[in-house]
C-alpha cells in the first residue's frame, strides 16, 4: 500500500471514528458496511483528466475539478439517504469550443443528486430523478441552439439541425443520464454491502460508457482485496474491467450512420479499426465506519491508433 498517500486520510479517520473492523479472521473475509450518522457530511476532492492521444501526440485534453460533498440527510433501520453536491467547479480544456460550451450552461443546473442506499450503504436509487431530467433537457436545448448557431455552413450541409438535436438529446437520455450523474457516488459505494474473501477474485457483468452513442457497452469486471491494513482498519480493493469489442464495433458504425445524411459506403474489413476499452481502479476503504477514503481510476478507450484516456481521483479531505 502506498502509505504516504493515506497518512492524512487515516489521521482523519482515527479522529472521527473508533469502531471494530469488520474482519473475520477465521475465514479471511472482510465486509464493507455503512456506519453513518444522520447529519454526517464529508467533502471529497474530485479531479478528472481526459486526454485524446494519437500516436505520440496529445491532440486534446480536458480537466474538471470540484468539491464533492456527501451528506447523510435521512437514516432508518433499512436505508440511508445521501445528498451529493457539486461545488467550486473548475473546467478547463485545450479546445476553445469546450470552454464555450461550458460557459453556456449555468452551474446551478444538475448540481445536486439525492440517492438512497440500503442499510449497508449499497446504492439503490436516484431519488430526485425528475428534477435531474428537467435540468438535463434544459442543458440539451441550450447546447443544441448554441452549437447550431456557431457551426459553419459546410458542416450544416452534412449534418442537419435534427441530427444535432438528437445527438444533444443523449444528455437527457436515461441510459446516459443516470450513469453520468451517479458516477462519483457509484464509485465510492461500489463495494458496500459485500463480503470479500481475501483469497478470492470476483467477476461480474458490467456496463461501460459508450463513446459512440447512448447504449452502454457490455463488458466484464474482476475485483479482489489487494491489501488489508489491520492496524489502520483500511482495505485496498483493486479492479480490472474490459469491454466487449464486437459490440463496440457495431456501436461505432451505428454512430457514423446517425451523424451524416449521406449513405456510408461499405468499409473493407482490413480498414475497420481495432476497438478496445479497459479500466483499472484502486479503492481504499476504512471498514471500521464504511466511508471510502481514496480512489483512483484510469479508463482507456482505443479506436485504431487513437486513445481516449480518463483519469479520475476522489480523495476524502474533510
Amino acid at each position: 500500500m502506498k502509505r504516504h498517500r493515506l497518512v492524512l486520510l487515516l489521521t482523519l479517520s482515527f479522529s472521527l471514528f473508533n469502531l471494530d473492523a469488520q474482519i473475520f479472521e477465521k475465514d479471511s473475509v472482510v465486509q464493507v458496511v455503512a456506519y453513518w450518522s444522520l447529519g454526517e457530511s464529508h467533502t471529497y476532492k474530485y479531479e478528472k483528466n481526459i486526454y485524446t492521444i494519437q500516436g505520440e501526440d496529445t491532440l486534446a485534453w480536458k480537466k474538471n475539478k470540484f468539491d464533492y460533498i456527501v451528506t447523510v440527510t435521512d437514516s432508518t433501520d433499512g436505508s440511508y439517504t445521501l445528498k451529493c453536491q457539486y461545488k467550486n467547479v473548475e473546467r478547463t480544456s485545450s479546445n476553445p469550443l469546450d470552454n464555450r460550451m461550458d460557459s453556456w450552461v449555468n452551474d446551478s443546473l444538475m448540481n445536486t443528486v439525492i440517492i438512497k442506499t440500503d442499510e449497508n450503504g449499497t446504492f439503490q436509487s436516484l431519488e430526485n430523478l425528475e428534477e435531474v431530467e428537467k435540468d438535463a433537457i434544459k442543458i440539451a436545448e441550450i447546447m443544441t441552439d448554441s452549437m447550431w448557431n456557431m457551426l459553419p455552413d459546410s458542416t450544416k450541409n452534412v449534418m442537419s439541425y435534427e441530427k444535432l438535436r438528437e445527438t444533444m438529446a443523449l444528455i437527457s437520455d436515461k441510459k446516459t443520464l443516470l450513469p453520468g450523474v451517479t458516477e462519483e457516488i457509484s464509485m465510492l459505494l461500489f463495494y458496500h454491502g459485500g463480503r470479500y474473501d481475501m483469497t478470492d477474485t470476483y467477476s461480474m457483468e458490467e456496463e461501460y460508457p459508450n463513446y459512440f452513442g447512448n447504449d452502454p457497452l457490455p463488458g466484464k469486471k474482476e475485483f479482489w482485496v489487494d491489501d488489508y491494513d489491520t492496524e489502520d482498519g483500511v482495505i485496498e480493493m483493486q479492479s480490472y474491467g474490459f469491454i466487449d469489442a464486437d459490440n463496440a464495433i457495431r456501436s461505432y458504425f451505428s454512430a457514423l450512420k446517425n451523424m451524416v445524411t449521406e449513405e456510408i459506403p461499405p468499409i473493407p474489413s482490413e480498414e475497420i479499426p481495432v476497438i478496445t476499452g479497459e479500466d483499472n481502479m484502486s479503492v481504499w476503504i476504512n471498514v471500521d465506519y464504511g466511508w471510502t477514503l481514496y480512489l483512483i481510476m484510469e479508463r482507456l478507450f482505443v479506436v485504431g491508433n487513437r486513445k481516449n484516456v480518463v483519469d479520475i481521483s476522489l480523495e476524502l479531505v474533510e
Side-chain angles (χ1 to χ4, degrees), residues 190-294:
F190 179 80
Y191 295 105
H192 281 69
R195 289 165 56 95
Y196 307 104
D197 191 311
M198 292 186 290
T199 63
D200 287 344
T201 297
Y202 301 87
S203 63
M204 60 179 290
E205 301 295 320
E206 182 72 307
E207 292 184 337
Y208 291 91
N210 187 351
Y211 292 88
F212 308 128
N214 60 335
D215 291 323
L217 293 174
K220 292 185 178 180
K221 180 186 289 288
E222 296 180 344
F223 52 94
W224 60 94
V225 181
D226 194 64
D227 189 23
Y228 175 63
D229 190 325
T230 56
E231 181 179 351
D232 298 333
V234 174
I235 61 168
E236 178 186 352
M237 302 293 298
Q238 293 279 352
S239 70
Y240 169 73
F242 54 93
I243 65 169
D244 181 280
D246 290 338
N247 276 283
I249 291 174
R250 285 193 288 270
S251 183
Y252 169 77
F253 283 109
S254 176
L256 288 180
K257 292 178 181 178
N258 289 334
M259 288 298 293
V260 298
T261 56
E262 301 174 354
E263 185 70 21
I264 298 176
I267 299 177
S269 59
E270 64 272 14
E271 295 182 13
I272 297 175
V274 174
I275 300 176
T276 61
E278 63 180 40
D279 65 35
N280 293 274
M281 185 164 68
S282 301
V283 183
W284 288 265
I285 307 168
N286 189 305
V287 293
D288 289 346
Y289 60 94
W291 286 99
T292 296
L293 300 175
Y294 184 62

Side-chain angles (χ1 to χ4, degrees), residues 298-310:
E298 180 184 68
R299 175 166 289 150
L300 180 66
F301 196 83
V302 181
V303 182
N305 68 342
R306 180 171 293 204
K307 297 188 295 186
N308 185 272
V309 182
V310 180

Side-chain angles (χ1 to χ4, degrees), residues 13 50 84 96 120 131 153 160 175 209 211 244 246 250 253 272:
S13 69
I50 304 173
C84 308
N120 295 318
E131 177 184 344
D153 291 339
S160 67
K175 292 178 181 178
Y211 292 88
D244 181 280
D246 290 338
R250 285 193 288 270
F253 283 109
I272 297 175

Side-chain angles (χ1 to χ4, degrees), residues 31 39 53 61 65 83 86 88 105 108 152 199 204 236 243 251 264 290 295 297:
Q31 185 175 14
I53 301 170
W61 56 265
K65 290 182 178 182
K83 181 170 69 173
Y86 305 86
N88 302 319
V105 180
S108 66
T199 63
M204 60 179 290
E236 178 186 352
I243 65 169
S251 183
I264 298 176
L295 72 80
M297 187 199 74

Side-chain angles (χ1 to χ4, degrees), residues 5-69:
R5 293 181 177 178
L6 296 175
V7 171
L8 177 61
L9 301 175
L10 294 175
T11 302
L12 173 63
S13 69
F14 294 151
S15 67
L16 294 177
F17 306 96
N18 184 23
L19 299 172
D20 294 330
Q22 291 298 300
I23 183 71
F24 305 90
E25 295 182 1
K26 183 178 180 180
D27 53 5
S28 300
V29 172
V30 63
Q31 185 175 14
V32 181
V33 177
Y35 295 103
W36 306 331
S37 300
L38 182 63
E40 186 177 4
S41 184
H42 293 289
T43 299
Y44 290 87
K45 287 291 184 183
Y46 174 93
E47 291 191 17
K48 184 175 187 177
N49 300 311
I50 304 173
Y51 304 95
T52 301
I53 301 170
Q54 186 163 338
E56 300 297 323
D57 299 323
T58 299
L59 303 181
W61 56 265
K62 188 170 185 177
K63 299 182 179 182
N64 295 336
K65 290 182 178 182
F66 52 78
D67 293 335
Y68 189 65
I69 303 170

Side-chain angles (χ1 to χ4, degrees), residues 39-245:
E40 186 177 4
S41 184
H42 293 289
T43 299
Y44 290 87
K45 287 291 184 183
Y46 174 93
E47 291 191 17
K48 184 175 187 177
N49 300 311
I50 304 173
Y51 304 95
T52 301
I53 301 170
Q54 186 163 338
E56 300 297 323
D57 299 323
T58 299
L59 303 181
W61 56 265
K62 188 170 185 177
K63 299 182 179 182
N64 295 336
K65 290 182 178 182
F66 52 78
D67 293 335
Y68 189 65
I69 303 170
V70 182
T71 304
V72 182
T73 59
D74 191 30
S75 175
T76 69
D77 289 340
S79 69
Y80 293 97
T81 300
L82 304 178
K83 181 170 69 173
C84 308
Q85 296 175 289
Y86 305 86
K87 293 189 176 181
N88 302 319
V89 179
E90 298 179 18
R91 303 185 186 94
T92 55
S93 174
S94 62
N95 187 346
L97 177 58
D98 282 341
N99 294 323
R100 290 186 66 179
M101 290 171 66
D102 286 336
S103 70
W104 295 337
V105 180
N106 191 313
D107 283 340
S108 66
L109 297 175
M110 290 177 59
N111 70 346
T112 301
V113 294
I114 299 173
I115 68 109
K116 180 168 285 187
T117 76
D118 66 12
E119 67 275 16
N120 295 318
T122 305
F123 180 90
Q124 296 292 300
S125 62
L126 175 62
E127 294 295 283
N128 63 331
L129 175 59
E130 183 176 347
E131 177 184 344
V132 170
E133 284 183 314
K134 289 180 179 178
D135 282 354
I137 291 171
K138 289 180 183 178
I139 291 173
E141 292 172 348
I142 293 171
M143 300 286 273
T144 299
D145 291 338
S146 300
M147 179 74 75
W148 184 256
N149 289 334
M150 66 176 294
L151 286 177
D153 291 339
S154 59
T155 301
K156 293 179 180 179
N157 290 335
V158 296
M159 182 173 64
S160 67
Y161 176 85
E162 282 303 310
K163 287 291 184 182
L164 177 61
R165 187 184 65 80
E166 290 174 7
T167 301
M168 291 300 177
L170 295 177
I171 296 172
S172 59
D173 189 295
K174 287 184 181 180
K175 292 178 181 178
T176 51
L177 178 62
L178 291 177
V181 300
T182 62
E183 178 183 51
E184 298 85 11
I185 198 65
S186 294
M187 289 192 295
L188 291 174
L189 303 182
F190 179 80
Y191 295 105
H192 281 69
R195 289 165 56 95
Y196 307 104
D197 191 311
M198 292 186 290
T199 63
D200 287 344
T201 297
Y202 301 87
S203 63
M204 60 179 290
E205 301 295 320
E206 182 72 307
E207 292 184 337
Y208 291 91
N210 187 351
Y211 292 88
F212 308 128
N214 60 335
D215 291 323
L217 293 174
K220 292 185 178 180
K221 180 186 289 288
E222 296 180 344
F223 52 94
W224 60 94
V225 181
D226 194 64
D227 189 23
Y228 175 63
D229 190 325
T230 56
E231 181 179 351
D232 298 333
V234 174
I235 61 168
E236 178 186 352
M237 302 293 298
Q238 293 279 352
S239 70
Y240 169 73
F242 54 93
I243 65 169
D244 181 280

